[in-house]
Amino acid sequence: MKRSDITNKNFKDVLTTTIQKLHETQPLYNANVTICEIEPQLQSLMTQSESLPLYGVGIAVKDNFNTKGIKTTASSAILDNYYPVYDATVIEKLKKAGAIIVSKTSMDELGMGGTNINAHTGRTYHPYDRSRITGGSSGGSAALVAAGIVPMALGTDTGDSIRKPAAYCGIVGFKPTYGRISRYGVIPYASSLDHVGFFTTTLKDSALLLEICAGRDHLDATSLFDEVPKYSELGSNIKGKKIGILKNVQDLVTDSTMKQRFNALIEHLKKAGAIIEEIELNNDLMRVILPTYLIIANAEASANHSNLDGIKFGQQQKGNNLEEIMINTRTLGFSRNVRTRFLIGAYSLDSDNQENVFKRAQKVRRLIVENLKQKMQGYDAIINLATSSVAPSPEEVLKQASNDDVSLIVENNMILGNFSGFPSVSIPLGFKDELPYAITLMSHSKREDILFEIGYEIELFTQLAGKVKGE
Amino acid sequence: MTKEEIQALAKTCMFQFDDSEIEYVNESFDVLYHQIELLSQIDTSNVEAMVYPFEEPITYLRVDTHSRELSKEDVLKNAMEKDDNYIKVVTKVVK
């Protein structure tokens, strides 16, 4: 489903069908935390102009965006009774553009995970094969777009949490430059790495959403002041574009189907006028992307979530005094996985370890980003396969070695976009055994326009724009 | 880490682990120690910590105007227990 499939004449019928499908497919995909009431939103829409860019378009929203009056849990038991009294800035913008929120979608608890297995409401199932993971942490949003139930969905991306589930599910996953979209009202994971972004079936729809959602917000001190370009007016513009193939990743992928398709894409881009060369980053630094990420993300998360204590909001537990109430609330409210991540964060920030663990990770982050910037000089973008394989099963995820180069480098390459804040997108490339796989493209900060201009040419090659399950 | 060390650190985070969870925590810390070891092999001398992706200094002050507020009802809406203008936490503060 695409934005353009919805008109001012058919939107009510489409919304009715969408809600019906969300209910029908919940036992199949388990992608929703809350299926939303749309009647009040439709009444509000009737007071708005029919020329709005998303007039009557149903959109799914990851459950870590505060949505006024709609339960918002971040897939954590501790927030199972939390009803925000305000909208996140991006939700306000979408509503003003005419969008209707139809679902709050499942995620790894508080964004902490890459599988969508660790959700309070249970794991999310891959639309093409229920035995496989969707990827996470924005897995519910990815599943609903890939299944053709909604045309677009919001996600957040701290360490590939939009782009990897999009790659596994066969749709576009777009993460703009850090600060391009306000994070105000988003339940955070790690503030220096968190990005708001989208799942769509076409790049054109991502461009439209970016134009609507981007822009300075004084409620988020890190949001960019820059004027928002007219992304939706861009088209394919590949001639003369200089693109680097990220050798560190490509050399490690062994799947012949994926590699052959990737090589065919590169030939197509060359014929269309792109200049394509290999680039190679420092492999020692590539191997420490994951450790650096986990230390920084867990440390920031442990500080960010100290406000989840059940006092002002959240699922409070009994206790004889304030301390006991908080301890019981947080012990029962967070899963074992999340408490362990907070503990690692606290360990990294402890005054005895801070210099050697947390600050060292921040220094390595700088080295990784400086190496990336240096190697990207003179190139408009870098391209590579997004993952080493199609979506794995939960059992395969558990078996994956965590210390070989495929796991450390290929499976974590997209974190480069979070460290640097550079815009990055995953675009479906093909199917293997009826399961999708994707490429990822990254450009320089504030150059989302380049991603669209190259990406449209990639869509011309793949002919997968707009594709969802069953079509 | 010993069980006591884990529980002491957990207390600073305001939560606990039960005995069945200690092994999982220790396995996770083994992974962390390995990660710290990997990082220690990278030369970070004379490197500044990178705190945010963009490090342009913020030199402006936003206009200090009243922009939004929450009503008392909204502020208290999500509290489990409330008493008129207050969030009620414990029934008794003085023994």
Side-chain angles (χ1 to χ4, degrees):
Chain A
M1 193 192 285
K2 306 183 290 293
R3 162 67 186 98
S4 55
D5 295 334
I6 300 159
T7 67
N8 290 1
K9 283 185 181 167
N10 74 2
F11 77 89
K12 282 187 182 170
D13 290 340
V14 173
L15 281 169
T16 304
T17 307
T18 299
I19 297 295
Q20 193 184 334
K21 279 188 186 171
L22 287 170
H23 283 287
E24 282 172 6
T25 58
Q26 178 62 5
L28 268 181
Y29 308 135
N30 196 30
N32 309 283
V33 177
T34 302
I35 299 171
C36 304
E37 295 285 334
I38 60 166
E39 275 309 318
Q41 297 183 69
L42 281 173
Q43 282 174 19
S44 170
L45 185 70
M46 293 304 116
T47 64
Q48 294 178 273
S49 163
E50 289 188 17
S51 63
L52 290 171
L54 296 177
Y55 189 82
V57 175
I59 184 164
V61 173
K62 188 176 180 180
D63 206 26
N64 60 349
F65 288 86
N66 276 291
T67 44
K68 190 175 181 179
I70 302 173
K71 190 165 82 165
T72 298
T73 70
S75 283
S76 182
I78 203 167
L79 291 173
D80 199 34
N81 61 350
Y82 170 55
Y83 287 79
V85 295
Y86 73 104
D87 279 326
T89 296
V90 69
I91 299 295
E92 270 183 3
K93 288 189 172 194
L94 288 169
K95 283 182 173 176
K96 279 181 188 162
I100 304 288
I101 298 165
V102 293
S103 169
K104 295 300 293 295
T105 61
S106 173
M107 54 187 280
D108 284 300
E109 183 179 354
L110 300 172
M112 295 181 164
T115 59
N116 230 104
I117 294 171
N118 302 313
H120 172 51
T121 49
R123 65 170 284 215
T124 298
Y125 297 89
H126 194 292
Y128 287 86
D129 179 349
R130 289 185 79 250
S131 74
R132 292 169 190 273
I133 63 164
T134 53
S137 62
S138 313
S141 286
L144 292 180
V145 174
I149 298 169
V150 292
M152 39 185 64
L154 275 189
T156 53
D157 191 317
T158 306
D160 73 27
S161 285
I162 289 173
R163 292 160 292 156
K164 193 175 259 187
Y168 282 155
C169 291
I171 52 176
V172 173
F174 193 91
K175 177 201 87 66
T177 304
Y178 182 84
R180 182 67 91 180
I181 299 177
S182 167
R183 291 181 292 112
Y184 179 74
V186 180
I187 297 172
Y189 174 6
S191 307
S192 80
L193 300 162
D194 287 345
H195 297 65
V196 172
F198 324 112
F199 295 93
T200 58
T201 64
T202 69
L203 269 171
K204 202 82 189 164
D205 283 352
S206 278
L208 175 67
L209 280 175
L210 184 59
E211 205 169 294
I212 291 165
C213 296
R216 172 67 190 171
D217 176 14
H218 74 83
L219 296 170
D220 173 0
T222 62
S223 84
L224 298 174
F225 283 89
D226 302 62
E227 201 172 311
V228 179
K230 295 277 182 196
Y231 298 111
S232 64
E233 293 174 4
L234 296 168
S236 173
N237 181 13
I238 193 77
K239 203 164 184 186
K241 288 279 190 309
K242 198 168 173 191
I243 305 170
I245 298 172
L246 190 54
K247 193 173 182 305
N248 310 66
V249 171
Q250 285 306 121
D251 282 358
L252 288 166
V253 178
T254 55
D255 187 297
S256 57
T257 306
M258 290 167 67
K259 286 193 93 155
Q260 279 170 21
R261 185 78 176 148
F262 181 83
N263 291 339
L265 167 67
I266 296 303
E267 286 310 308
H268 172 88
L269 294 177
K270 280 180 182 170
K271 277 184 194 157
I275 302 153
I276 303 192
E277 297 169 352
E278 284 188 329
I279 65 168
E280 188 168 16
L281 304 187
N282 180 322
N283 232 28
D284 290 337
L285 291 174
M286 292 293 281
R287 282 194 193 97
V288 292
I289 288 175
L290 180 64
T292 304
Y293 168 75
L294 287 173
I295 288 168
I296 292 173
N298 288 333
E300 291 186 12
S302 69
N304 278 335
H305 292 301
S306 58
N307 69 331
L308 296 179
D309 55 20
I311 304 301
K312 296 181 288 300
F313 58 91
Q315 201 69 262
Q316 189 185 106
Q317 302 296 329
K318 299 278 180 212
N320 292 317
N321 53 52
L322 186 60
E323 186 175 324
E324 222 175 270
I325 290 171
M326 286 185 182
I327 288 175
N328 292 343
T329 295
R330 287 168 65 85
T331 301
L332 292 173
F334 298 131
S335 67
R336 178 188 72 174
N337 173 53
V338 164
R339 275 178 286 133
T340 304
R341 285 183 179 233
F342 286 159
L343 200 70
I344 287 170
Y347 176 89
S348 308
L349 290 171
D350 187 273
S351 55
D352 288 344
N353 309 317
Q354 195 173 114
E355 195 62 41
N356 197 40
V357 183
F358 181 59
K359 286 200 173 156
R360 177 178 285 273
Q362 289 183 312
K363 289 175 183 178
V364 175
R365 177 181 181 177
R366 181 179 299 281
L367 290 173
I368 292 170
V369 172
E370 281 180 357
N371 183 235
L372 174 71
K373 283 180 179 170
Q374 184 201 347
K375 297 289 181 176
M376 275 185 77
Q377 264 179 24
Y379 292 90
D380 292 294
I382 59 173
I383 191 170
N384 52 273
L385 283 160
T387 61
S388 64
S389 69
V390 296
S393 67
E395 296 75 28
E396 286 169 334
V397 172
L398 283 174
K399 275 186 209 159
Q400 271 172 1
S402 57
N403 53 1
D404 66 27
D405 276 358
V406 174
S407 300
L408 288 173
I409 295 175
V410 183
E411 292 305 333
N412 294 292
N413 79 84
M414 289 190 280
I415 297 174
L416 288 169
N418 301 84
F419 283 168
S420 62
F422 289 179
S424 170
V425 61
S426 58
I427 303 171
L429 176 63
F431 279 73
K432 185 192 172 185
D433 300 331
E434 299 180 3
L435 285 165
Y437 57 89
I439 60 95
T440 181
L441 195 63
M442 179 165 61
S443 189
H444 301 274
S445 72
K446 306 179 189 178
R447 294 310 305 268
E448 290 87 348
D449 57 322
I450 294 175
L451 297 183
F452 292 120
E453 288 177 338
I454 298 173
Y456 290 137
E457 192 61 38
I458 294 171
E459 284 187 335
L460 275 177
F461 170 77
T462 65
Q463 292 294 304
L464 292 174
K467 177 170 172 54
V468 293
K469 190 200 168 195
E471 286 180 12
Chain B
M1 286 209 287
T2 65
K3 182 178 152 188
E4 290 69 32
E5 286 170 330
I6 289 171
Q7 295 295 20
L9 187 58
K11 198 177 176 197
T12 69
C13 302
M14 302 292 274
F15 52 65
Q16 296 168 328
F17 291 94
D18 67 35
D19 287 351
S20 69
E21 295 171 323
I22 296 295
E23 190 184 341
Y24 175 82
V25 175
N26 261 322
E27 283 170 7
S28 302
F29 266 80
D30 286 344
V31 174
L32 174 70
Y33 296 143
H34 177 65
Q35 291 170 345
I36 294 168
E37 173 61 27
L38 285 173
L39 288 189
S40 71
Q41 293 166 19
I42 305 290
D43 181 6
T44 56
S45 44
N46 301 318
V47 178
E48 286 288 315
M50 184 175 185
V51 179
Y52 273 92
F54 308 122
E55 295 165 311
E56 291 131 23
I58 295 171
T59 54
Y60 75 97
L61 289 172
R62 68 175 165 79
V63 183
D64 194 15
T65 52
H66 178 102
S67 58
R68 59 170 75 190
E69 66 181 38
L70 290 176
S71 67
K72 184 180 84 177
E73 289 72 26
D74 275 350
V75 170
L76 296 174
K77 203 171 189 173
N78 280 284
M80 289 278 271
E81 288 194 65
K82 49 215 149 194
D83 184 1
D84 195 17
N85 287 332
Y86 299 96
I87 292 170
K88 201 170 159 186
V89 182
V90 282
T91 51
K92 188 166 67 166
V93 291
V94 180
K95 287 185 183 174

